[in-house]
Amino acid sequence: MWTHRHLLGVESLSAADIDAVLDRAETWHALCRRTEKKSTVLKGRTIINVFFEASTRTRTSFEAAGKRLGADVVNVSSSGSSVTKGETLLDTAKNLEAMRADALVVRHASSGAIDFLASRIRASIINAGDGAHEHPTQALLDAFTIRRSKGRLEGLVVAICGDIAHSRVARSNAILLGRKGAMVRLTAPRTMLPAHAETLGPTVRVMPRFEDAVRDADVVMMLRIQNERLAGAMMSTTREYSRTYGLGPVALAKAKPDAIVMHPGPINRGVELDPHVADGNKSVILDQVEAGVAVRMAVLDLLLTGGNHTPSDALSSRP
Ligand code: NCD
């Protein structure tokens, strides 16, 4: 039974909630592979994407997700909006709600900004990334990708590597994967590790040496250095970083033979990821992007309908 009105973070999702999203995403993933990728479960609803930070994948996939479910989707970006004239986040959201938006998908540079909105707005609020805090749909699509590739999450060893301190992706993944019984290893230069990283979950361990974290891992998840959060100042040189914490074929050979390589994008090729690995046969990076649409469809569906319908009824019979 789905009971949430907002999706603010994976922190508030139980293991059963996570399964509900991933299971429903399977149906929508099948729909997305058809020629006619259209359902009517959100017909008549309005979803507004409000992005105050740059985005390619998240914004586009939320738009595709809403449209494929039959909703009307409107996009607002901070650069062309009245935020540049000094309007506050709350006023912006209240104005969009006055237009009878059913859901606001919000990305913001400040940690906690989305939680602040949710307590003041009636529409469903979906966190599309807030500062270094949470990025719940990214963690859900990563879990979906891992589950499809490995058949399970429980018991897998997942190494998350790079700028952990500033990464909402790492935080949401560590919490979600821990909740689903995966063993999470975090590795980064000391300056890029948050204090008390191990408190993210009972199965989360910090491993300062990159090689130790990657050894025998089932999944190696690489992260971009979040220069917009001044992370670049926390390392000596890009070359040195890439030599010690970048994933190339030699380091990858230490992982399990059937290990998969993940990255939320955007990749800084040659920094955290060797181009041969990014494009190699272990990379599931574009599978993650494909999963992003299906998982966001599942989230919109569950939040706006409560999941009170059989999704397969909404699929047309045409393959
Ligand atoms: C991530 C983000 O914005 O947090 N990107 C994404 O949503 N796929 C990671 C990043 O920007 O490095």
Side-chain angles (χ1 to χ4, degrees):
M1 199 54 194
W2 185 264
T3 54
H4 302 278
R5 186 157 59 95
H6 305 301
L7 179 62
L8 305 179
V10 294
E11 189 90 77
S12 57
L13 297 181
S14 65
D17 291 332
I18 295 164
D19 290 342
V21 175
L22 304 190
D23 292 347
R24 191 154 288 242
E26 288 289 350
T27 305
W28 298 131
H29 194 265
L31 178 75
C32 290
R33 289 193 166 183
R34 295 185 180 195
T35 311
E36 193 183 314
K37 313 164 181 53
K38 199 81 176 174
S39 158
T40 54
V41 299
L42 294 186
K43 189 159 184 267
R45 311 295 187 97
T46 299
I47 298 164
I48 307 189
N49 286 325
V50 198
F51 278 61
F52 296 100
E53 264 196 339
S55 175
T56 298
R57 280 150 290 270
T58 307
R59 201 201 55 72
T60 313
S61 58
F62 264 114
E63 182 173 354
K67 286 181 171 167
R68 287 178 189 180
L69 291 174
D72 294 310
V73 184
V74 180
N75 294 304
V76 179
S77 67
S78 53
S79 57
S81 77
S82 290
V83 170
T84 58
K85 300 179 182 173
E87 188 165 44
T88 66
L89 170 64
L90 183 57
D91 280 336
T92 304
K94 280 191 180 294
N95 278 266
L96 298 173
E97 185 179 48
M99 297 174 199
R100 298 274 161 194
D102 297 287
L104 300 182
V105 179
V106 189
R107 169 169 286 193
H108 200 277
S110 302
S111 301
I114 319 287
D115 295 44
F116 167 82
L117 277 189
S119 57
R120 290 161 177 84
I121 294 282
R122 278 185 314 277
S124 282
I125 304 283
I126 300 167
N127 182 356
D130 64 325
H133 179 223
E134 277 243 34
H135 193 350
T137 56
Q138 181 69 45
L140 287 162
L141 77 87
D142 289 340
F144 182 83
T145 307
I146 297 171
R147 199 178 77 163
R148 277 185 77 86
S149 169
K150 301 282 169 202
R152 66 185 208 284
L153 295 168
E154 294 76 8
L156 294 178
V157 174
V158 182
I160 306 181
C161 317
D163 182 11
I164 313 279
H166 300 100
S167 175
R168 52 200 178 202
V169 175
R171 239 183 83 74
S172 291
N173 262 299
I175 298 168
L176 185 153
L177 290 167
R179 206 152 284 173
K180 288 299 298 170
M183 315 302 292
V184 180
R185 298 172 177 172
L186 303 178
T187 187
R190 289 218 174 278
T191 51
M192 292 185 185
L193 270 174
H196 315 299
E198 268 146 352
T199 59
L200 287 173
T203 63
V204 177
R205 278 184 66 194
V206 173
M207 293 187 155
R209 278 171 46 91
F210 182 62
E211 292 73 21
D212 294 341
V214 170
R215 187 167 298 118
D216 296 326
D218 297 285
V219 178
V220 184
M221 186 183 291
M222 302 306 296
L223 302 170
R224 181 179 66 88
I225 297 169
Q226 310 273 298
N227 284 314
E228 67 276 33
R229 300 187 219 294
L230 305 179
M234 295 176 181
M235 60 188 201
S236 43
T237 62
T238 304
R239 200 161 164 198
E240 172 66 10
Y241 178 84
S242 159
R243 206 178 53 76
T244 43
Y245 284 93
L247 185 68
V250 175
L252 182 57
K254 295 188 176 13
K256 289 235 179 87
D258 63 348
I260 55 171
V261 174
M262 304 180 77
H263 194 301
I267 301 171
N268 282 158
R269 283 176 180 260
V271 181
E272 70 274 14
L273 207 49
D274 182 309
H276 293 103
V277 173
D279 303 328
N281 60 3
K282 293 187 165 156
S283 168
V284 295
I285 294 170
L286 294 177
D287 297 332
Q288 292 173 261
V289 179
E290 182 182 10
V293 181
V295 165
R296 289 175 175 122
M297 289 171 84
V299 165
L300 291 168
D301 175 7
L302 288 168
L303 289 176
L304 293 179
T305 72
N308 292 325
H309 63 93
T310 313
S312 49
D313 291 350
L315 301 184
S316 76
S317 53
R318 239 181 312 155

